[in-house]
Amino acid sequence: LSESMAALITLASLWLWGHLDAEISVRDTERYKPVSLPVGPAKFTVKDVSVITCALKPEPSFLRCLESWLRNDPLEVIIVTTPPFLEIFNTLLATATFDISQVKVHVLPDDLRKGFRGQLVHAIRSAKGKLILRVDGHIMWGDKLIVNMAACFEDDTIGLAGGDMTVRIDNADATTITPWQVASTRRLAGGRPAQRNIYAAKKFRWGIGGGTVMYRASLYQNPEFEDEFLNDYWHNLGLGGRTLLDSGEDNFISRWAVRKGFVCASQTMPETTVTRVPKSKFVPWIMQMVRWERSTIQSFLRYTWEVPQIWQDPYLCRKMFIERLGRDIWFAIHLWAWFASFREYPLLTLLFFGYYIWKTVRGLVDFFRAHPHLPAKYWWAALTADWALNFLSPWVWLTLGVEEWHIGEEVAIVKK
């Protein structure tokens, strides 16, 4: 068996694998059903929910987002910031044209660790509700989000729940939209179908992003959680040293629920779909992608020993470890197969290549039809969003011990 023939068989096998997996995904999508509102008295009402957000400098859209949260009529909204930004928040809230009597602004106390995780622990401690709804400061909700998210917790096995997220471009004028807003929209368009489908198949979700996520308060309002959360180190895989983590808090919180025997629920429906502001500049966008990917890899690696029961399910092992963690290996195999098969079987190789080109073009056309406000001239940015991580991933693996944040569009905080 020549190398070219082996490569061609590999290409055909990978195509078949992808085709069968897509068919299974369609089946799981049809199987998925969000939780309906309870018919009788609910265990939790909107007045059992504390909304929390941790922020430094408020986003330009903060007041509009805050108003959307308050329209859901929660028990309270807690904003945790740091001393340099307290006056900024107080001044901004004084300009609100809606009732803010439910809003409380807290400052990170001196006895807690500095950084985002310290702010989040203080917010969770301060929350009075039986359910806690954590939200980022640039996220906008519909009016029925809380009541539909709380419905998940009628099931006592649910520890946290999240819906889908899409992009809101406040400068939605084709002359001012940037390529990286298009790229951000491409990354977030369609929500998280892979996780939703796995939830439909196995009632399992490995993580829920922190943009909007509801917690069962009792699961996190305890010293054990606080101690592990605030002393969460990444050991640099034999390269020496360790990094105290501040990012990746959403993955830790999701893993904590799974470790304690609870389920992370997918509540995907129009009422629970939120909108966020995308990055508009290249560096913040690419660094955000790197940070998200780094956090995901860290979390998946830690699932291997923190949640050993995961090994008992072949489907989850395939999805999480063979496909997701092994993505770079599969990408390298694809590249080898393309070049090796082309040497002796150029026509058949080009047929496969043509199929993937057709599939990519069809996906881009569907994307721009679904987002007509986006200029199609930035098709290359959407394509960059699809492929960037395949080439950035080696850098991500080499820098798993690096901590970095971007605040808004301008300020980078880097810690090693």
Side-chain angles (χ1 to χ4, degrees), residues 162-404:
D164 268 350
M165 182 184 296
T166 187
V167 167
R168 172 185 87 253
I169 300 179
D170 293 331
N171 61 313
D173 175 348
T175 63
T176 56
I177 291 175
T178 72
W180 311 113
Q181 288 174 315
V182 173
S184 293
T185 305
R186 177 69 167 173
R187 287 292 297 175
L188 290 169
R192 294 287 182 268
Q195 290 219 49
R196 181 191 62 223
N197 293 341
I198 291 171
Y199 184 75
K202 293 292 181 177
K203 200 181 178 180
F204 176 85
R205 184 168 174 172
W206 54 67
I208 299 178
T212 294
V213 55
M214 184 173 279
Y215 312 147
R216 189 179 294 275
S218 59
L219 187 56
Y220 300 99
Q221 288 177 329
N222 60 76
E224 183 188 7
F225 166 75
E226 290 184 7
D227 182 62
E228 289 201 34
F229 187 62
L230 295 176
N231 297 283
D232 182 25
Y233 285 89
W234 175 257
H235 295 266
N236 295 319
L237 297 181
L239 300 177
R242 59 181 188 166
T243 302
L244 181 62
L245 296 177
D246 200 39
S247 61
E249 80 295 334
D250 46 5
N251 281 319
F252 183 99
I253 285 169
S254 300
R255 254 190 350 269
W256 180 267
V258 176
R259 286 169 56 190
K260 297 301 178 181
F262 287 86
V263 174
C264 304
S266 281
Q267 181 71 331
T268 303
M269 58 200 306
E271 292 84 356
T272 60
T273 298
V274 304
T275 63
R276 63 167 290 148
V277 175
K279 302 295 185 185
S280 62
K281 298 178 182 178
F282 173 72
V283 171
W285 173 74
I286 201 71
M287 295 306 295
Q288 182 183 64
M289 287 187 62
V290 167
R291 178 167 59 85
W292 286 349
E293 180 70 2
R294 186 182 288 132
S295 177
T296 298
I297 291 173
Q298 288 172 346
S299 188
F300 274 43
L301 289 172
R302 294 172 75 164
Y303 257 107
T304 61
W305 66 84
E306 290 186 8
V307 190
Q309 61 266 33
I310 211 79
W311 294 104
Q312 299 171 14
D313 193 306
Y315 176 84
L316 294 178
C317 286
R318 174 172 68 86
K319 282 293 180 183
M320 294 180 67
F321 306 133
I322 296 175
E323 293 183 10
R324 186 60 178 83
L325 278 183
R327 184 174 62 186
D328 297 335
I329 296 172
W330 295 116
F331 181 60
I333 290 173
H334 262 106
L335 290 179
W336 162 78
W338 286 118
F339 287 108
S341 65
F342 186 77
R343 287 201 300 266
E344 291 186 25
Y345 304 98
L347 182 59
L348 288 174
T349 305
L350 287 174
L351 285 174
F352 276 114
F353 189 69
Y355 168 78
Y356 286 114
I357 291 292
W358 168 78
K359 189 176 178 181
T360 299
V361 170
R362 188 180 67 173
L364 289 173
V365 170
D366 290 344
F367 169 71
F368 283 104
R369 282 178 177 168
H371 302 85
H373 59 287
L374 297 179
K377 66 180 180 180
Y378 293 139
W379 61 269
W380 55 270
L383 200 60
T384 300
D386 290 345
W387 286 93
L389 282 179
N390 289 301
F391 298 98
L392 287 172
S393 202
W395 170 252
V396 172
W397 279 91
L398 290 171
T399 59
L400 287 178
V402 173
E403 271 284 271
E404 55 196 357

